[in-house]
């Protein structure tokens, strides 16, 4: 079965092989691969920031591995030629993972792109906790003066 991750790997390999001797074009192609990483379905890690873990707070999906840095690493591993396709797909999938944060926290983390994500979160003052899906009220039915709340199960 061909997944989007496999398709992105095929695209990245094709771009690398087409432009490996043209650094400026290869840099542009790496940016396209970074956009491809962004378009993959994010995989939630199960962690959420303390600030985002409150009812009514809008959650942001924070890719804790930068897309461009991830694309550069993928292209580097393709260039080295030592990793199997399965290992390269694992790399792609690992770089599609997200934590839930607030938008403000997501923006703040950009100042720490040069650090490993755990250190970046520490320096940005962001604490992660286990995410428990919210059971928010969806509908209230009023029947004969009695209110019935219906929530997602």
């Amino acid at each position: 079965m061909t997944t989007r991750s496999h398709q992105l790997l095929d695209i990245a390999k094709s771009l690398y092989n087409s432009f490996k001797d043209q650094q400026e074009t290869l840099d542009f192609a790496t940016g396209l691969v970074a956009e491809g990483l962004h378009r993959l379905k994010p995989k939630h890690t199960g962690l959420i920031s303390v600030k985002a873990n409150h009812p009514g707070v809008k959650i942001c999906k924070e890719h804790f591995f930068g897309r461009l840095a991830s694309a550069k690493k993928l292209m580097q591993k393709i260039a080295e030629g030592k990793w199997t396709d399965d290992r390269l797909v694992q790399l792609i999938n690992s770089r599609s993972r997200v934590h839930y944060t607030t938008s403000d926290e997501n923006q703040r983390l950009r100042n720490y792109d040069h650090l490993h994500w755990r250190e970046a979160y520490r320096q940005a003052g962001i604490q992660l906790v286990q995410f428990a899906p919210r059971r928010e009220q969806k509908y209230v039915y009023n029947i004969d003066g009695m209110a019935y709340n219906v929530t997602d199960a």
Side-chain angles (χ1 to χ4, degrees):
M1 179 173 92
T2 301
T3 65
R4 291 280 186 215
S5 298
H6 286 91
Q7 292 170 344
L8 181 58
L9 175 59
D10 289 344
I11 291 166
K13 289 171 81 173
S14 177
L15 289 169
Y16 174 78
N17 289 325
S18 295
F19 303 114
K20 61 186 171 192
D21 298 325
Q22 304 168 43
Q23 189 59 50
E24 188 174 319
T25 307
L26 184 59
D27 290 344
F28 178 73
T30 301
L32 296 174
V33 172
E35 180 61 25
L37 285 167
H38 178 67
R39 289 174 171 261
L40 291 176
K41 183 177 180 182
K43 296 159 186 70
H44 184 238
T45 62
L47 299 175
I48 187 169
S49 73
V50 170
K51 287 186 178 181
N53 198 23
H54 296 285
V57 174
K58 187 174 179 189
I59 292 174
C60 177
K61 295 174 183 171
E62 201 280 311
H63 291 82
F64 53 95
F65 286 113
R67 293 176 296 203
L68 185 56
S70 296
K72 286 178 180 180
K73 181 168 184 165
L74 175 62
M75 297 301 258
Q76 173 194 357
K77 294 302 178 185
I78 291 170
E80 291 171 2
K82 295 179 183 176
W83 284 14
T84 64
D85 284 0
D86 286 342
R87 180 66 183 105
L88 292 168
V89 167
Q90 286 177 351
L91 174 64
I92 291 169
N93 289 335
S94 77
R95 299 309 173 103
S96 302
R97 294 177 297 160
V98 297
H99 300 313
Y100 292 154
T101 64
T102 66
S103 292
D104 178 59
E105 289 170 326
N106 186 305
Q107 293 296 318
R108 200 164 65 233
L109 283 164
R110 292 182 183 186
N111 296 323
Y112 305 99
D113 276 350
H114 59 286
L115 300 174
H116 184 274
W117 71 265
R118 285 188 182 100
E119 181 62 17
Y121 275 70
R122 190 185 70 71
Q123 288 196 23
I126 300 170
Q127 181 184 358
L128 296 172
V129 295
Q130 195 63 41
F131 176 69
R134 300 174 183 167
R135 292 188 56 155
E136 297 185 22
Q137 179 177 313
K138 288 288 186 185
Y139 306 99
V140 176
Y141 294 96
N142 192 328
I143 302 171
D144 295 330
M146 182 69 113
Y148 297 89
N149 294 330
V150 179
T151 58
D152 279 340

